Amino acid sequence: IPNVPYAWQTKDEPILLPAKKSTRFTVLGLMTSECTLKYHITTGSMTSECLIGCLDEFCQTINKKTVVVLDNAPTHRSKLFKSKIKQWEEQDLFLFFLPPYSPELNKIEILWRFIKYKWIPFDAFLNLNNLKERLDEVLANIGTKYVIIF
């Protein structure tokens, strides 16, 4: 289902996008304040197992104490996820949970908004392959071609 809130069109040439349920892309992102991004794309919903795998992999790349800011998504609060927190802290990865219902405090929400509404062009939603290609292109160029200054 296209995630495009509006578009300009001429009166006699309407822009039509087919709307149907299809595969869902979910992106897990770890972004620094300098707008560098590590990301993982999966189809379907993000599961606790997938999130844990991504954070385990991320732990292997850090060389100093690192804080990851999380919202209160169900995967962030699952028993399985919580069981890994102590292990991550032993690897110098610490989690900071934002207060409930405060997406305005989560800087990566700004990034997702830019990706969805500014950087992925309207025609990306014509088919799933096109959307995947455009999404990959944008995510791979966060911090260089696509930048948010905080």
Side-chain angles (χ1 to χ4, degrees):
I1 300 174
N3 191 12
V4 180
Y6 59 85
W8 293 103
Q9 62 187 13
T10 63
K11 181 179 176 184
D12 297 324
E13 297 178 31
I15 299 171
L16 302 174
L17 285 177
K20 64 178 182 175
K21 296 238 182 226
S22 65
T23 302
R24 173 186 185 154
F25 294 122
T26 303
V27 180
L28 167 72
L30 297 166
M31 182 180 69
T32 67
S33 56
E34 293 83 28
C35 200
T36 59
L37 181 72
K38 292 184 184 277
Y39 65 93
H40 175 79
I41 302 174
T42 187
T43 55
S45 297
M46 180 61 63
T47 64
S48 294
E49 292 84 2
C50 184
L51 177 58
I52 289 168
C54 291
L55 287 178
D56 282 342
E57 186 178 312
F58 179 66
C59 274
Q60 304 306 311
T61 67
I62 61 174
N63 54 16
K64 60 183 177 181
K65 288 186 180 183
T66 303
V67 177
V68 173
V69 177
L70 298 169
D71 58 18
N72 288 282
T75 54
H76 302 160
R77 294 295 187 181
S78 72
K79 287 181 183 179
L80 182 61
F81 185 81
K82 287 181 178 181
S83 72
K84 293 286 291 183
I85 292 174
K86 182 93 170 136
Q87 179 185 346
W88 289 325
E89 287 176 352
E90 291 168 358
Q91 296 175 286
D92 284 338
L93 179 68
F94 297 88
L95 304 179
F96 176 81
F97 289 93
L98 292 172
Y101 309 109
S102 56
E104 72 281 359
L105 299 177
N106 193 346
K107 289 185 177 183
I108 205 163
E109 292 296 339
I110 297 167
L111 177 70
W112 300 143
R113 188 173 63 245
F114 271 68
I115 291 170
K116 287 180 182 178
Y117 300 116
K118 293 188 179 210
W119 295 337
I120 292 185
F122 189 74
D123 66 352
F125 296 96
L126 292 174
N127 64 61
L128 194 61
N129 288 336
N130 198 26
L131 178 59
K132 175 84 166 76
E133 287 174 11
R134 300 294 178 97
L135 180 60
D136 284 336
E137 192 271 328
V138 169
L139 291 170
N141 289 290
I142 298 291
T144 54
K145 185 176 178 182
Y146 303 99
V147 177
I148 300 173
I149 299 172
F150 295 103

